[in-house]
Amino acid sequence: MAEKTTRYRIGYALAPKKIQTFIQPSLLNLANQRGIDLVPIQLTKPLIDQIPFDCIIHKLPDPEWTNQLKDLLAHHPNVVVIDNPDAIERVHSRVTMLEAVSNLKPPPELSIEVPRQVFVESPHSLLSAASEGLNFPVIAKPLLANGSAGSHQMYLVLDGEGLGELKLSPPFVLQEFVNHGGVIFKVYVAGRHIQCVKRRSLPDISPEKLGTTEKVIPFSQISNVAALDYPSDDESSDGAELPPSEFVNEVGNQLRQGLKLNLFNFDMIRDSRNGGRYLIIDINYFPGFAKMPSYETILTDFFLDVVKKSTDK
């Protein structure tokens, strides 16, 4: 008689747009073949009435959902929740999201850090930001990084005069812009599974360009600003060398432990002036994993890691 295959039930609570992009038929089919049933959690019903789940994955901004999740954990501590709401909340603020980077220990020949940044809490603190040692240009980013439309409203500020023209209401952060060859490395982390891809980014900005361009440029318009010589995808990223895989994996694993998160990605750049200097400029919880090559295999492997570790306890 054939041995019955163990099946695992993973519930997901995601916004409709995230379901559309993440819960693809290809992921459902592969997970099903490997013994995983991905089950939508009904948000109109009490969560505690929908168990059993071997694991829950979620990304919802609703405080009521967070309360239900905490209540479930209080009564059913064996249910694995990916990830803890308090840990997720820390990366929703651009003031606290990068704090864990300071504790990373890269190989001796490489460095990993964050650009200098200043928190602007009010219009008054904006006036003093220019005197806090910031080197221009800077990027103005909303404080909240929760995936909302407003969290992506960013501006490139080319000099101190540009701060007066900035159409972004506090609170926000000003982060020093570091020339990085027009390439950004997006590192996706799903537990121990880590993958790095390269994408087009803002081009390097020379001192000459600082004196001839606009003072403030919305990110949405940068691709149309001829003075910045914005490169094409091919010119920008195809010839760029990826960071060493051992380095990427080490940073990803250390960051995962420091953040106490399993599903995230981080945006990393390489200093054009120093090829051994890398900087992490943003961290995103539960990003668009479907943009990652072979995301179905990586996520299914991660799910199996989680549920098998739980049942082995």
Side-chain angles (χ1 to χ4, degrees), residues 157-168:
V157 184
L158 296 173
D159 58 29
E161 292 181 16
L163 292 179
E165 302 176 15
L166 188 59
K167 296 179 181 179
L168 185 64

Side-chain angles (χ1 to χ4, degrees), residues 8 45 55 68 121 151 160 169 175 188 200 209 245 261 275 292-293:
Y8 302 99
K45 300 178 182 178
C55 174
Q68 286 203 52
E121 188 174 12
S151 67
S169 300
Q175 185 182 82
Y188 293 88
R200 185 179 68 172
K209 288 176 181 174
S245 58
L261 294 174
M292 178 177 61

Side-chain angles (χ1 to χ4, degrees), residues 16 100 108 120 130 145 162 201 217 246 255 271 306-307:
V120 177
S201 180
I217 307 173
E246 298 84 359
L255 205 52
D271 190 338
V306 170
V307 292

